[in-house]
Amino acid sequence: MEQRIGSGSQPLEGAGFDPAFIPGLTSPASVKPEGVKPQGVKDEDVTEEAVSEETESEVTESREETESAETDLQVADEAAEDDAEGDDDEDEEPVDGPVFEAADRRARIVADHKGVRLSLDDQECEFRWDEIGAVETEAPRFGKRFTVTVHTPDRRWYPIEIEATARSRFKEWDEQLDAVLDAYFEDSES
């Protein structure tokens, strides 16, 4: 009877064992120790040609994946450029109507005829008026952080806190935001 030294099980893969694991991406090829042959293969069957064919096919597959990823990125860049050009055209048209804008050193909120745009540090999100279910404001009893929360019809909410220079700004911001909501936001229930 033969006994093998070491474990016969394969190493586990996944997020539980590899913090850099991303589902959908293939794991790196496992490194096989030299001199180990697949089971059921004789020395005569393993040739340099078979090994080189496997390596070539792996290289070809990785090239195809890289090329398709580059093509996807180019298409996405072109779409973003087209959107940016379309946004420029919209920006050229001056629209008369109320605009609400509040910002501090990190956060910014803008509500105008296009919708509501929230940004915090380098993260941004934009909601058109038809994507908004409700807009909620909250002024704390103590402190200077004014909170605006955008609710969507699919029961998600996106809060943002703006630090005011003075508590007196809360009333001013509430009035400005109410004017924008009255002008552009159409409640679907009424």
Side-chain angles (χ1 to χ4, degrees), residues 39-59:
Q39 292 180 347
V41 178
K42 298 179 183 176
D43 287 335
E44 303 97 40
D45 294 342
V46 177
T47 62
E48 290 180 17
E49 293 175 10
V51 173
S52 66
E53 287 176 9
E54 289 178 14
T55 308
E56 287 178 18
S57 66
E58 290 174 3
V59 168

Side-chain angles (χ1 to χ4, degrees), residues 43-190:
D43 287 335
E44 303 97 40
D45 294 342
V46 177
T47 62
E48 290 180 17
E49 293 175 10
V51 173
S52 66
E53 287 176 9
E54 289 178 14
T55 308
E56 287 178 18
S57 66
E58 290 174 3
V59 168
T60 305
E61 288 176 9
S62 67
R63 283 185 187 158
E64 291 172 357
E65 290 175 3
T66 305
E67 290 173 1
S68 67
E70 289 175 357
T71 304
D72 292 344
L73 286 174
Q74 289 174 350
V75 169
D77 288 343
E78 291 172 3
E81 289 175 7
D82 292 343
D83 288 345
E85 291 173 5
D87 289 345
D88 292 341
D89 295 339
E90 292 176 7
D91 290 342
E92 292 175 3
E93 303 172 8
V95 175
D96 291 335
V99 174
F100 170 71
E101 186 171 346
D104 64 7
R105 59 186 173 82
R106 293 186 60 205
R108 177 184 190 89
I109 180 171
V110 177
D112 58 11
H113 68 284
K114 294 179 187 177
V116 178
R117 289 178 297 287
L118 308 175
S119 61
L120 178 64
D121 295 331
D122 62 342
Q123 302 296 315
E124 296 181 6
C125 60
E126 182 173 348
F127 303 96
R128 296 185 317 266
W129 288 112
D130 61 341
E131 297 175 325
I132 297 174
V135 177
E136 177 184 16
T137 62
E138 182 182 349
R141 187 170 177 188
F142 302 105
K144 296 181 184 179
R145 292 197 174 269
F146 183 72
T147 304
V148 176
T149 305
V150 176
H151 295 270
T152 61
D154 59 350
R155 296 186 178 169
R156 295 184 184 267
W157 62 92
Y158 302 87
I160 191 164
E161 291 183 335
I162 306 290
E163 188 171 339
T165 54
R167 289 188 49 83
S168 60
R169 297 289 311 248
F170 293 164
K171 185 176 180 183
E172 177 186 334
W173 284 346
D174 259 337
E175 291 171 357
Q176 289 176 358
L177 185 58
D178 283 343
V180 171
L181 293 174
D182 290 343
Y184 303 117
F185 183 66
E186 297 176 12
D187 193 7
S188 59
E189 296 176 25
S190 56

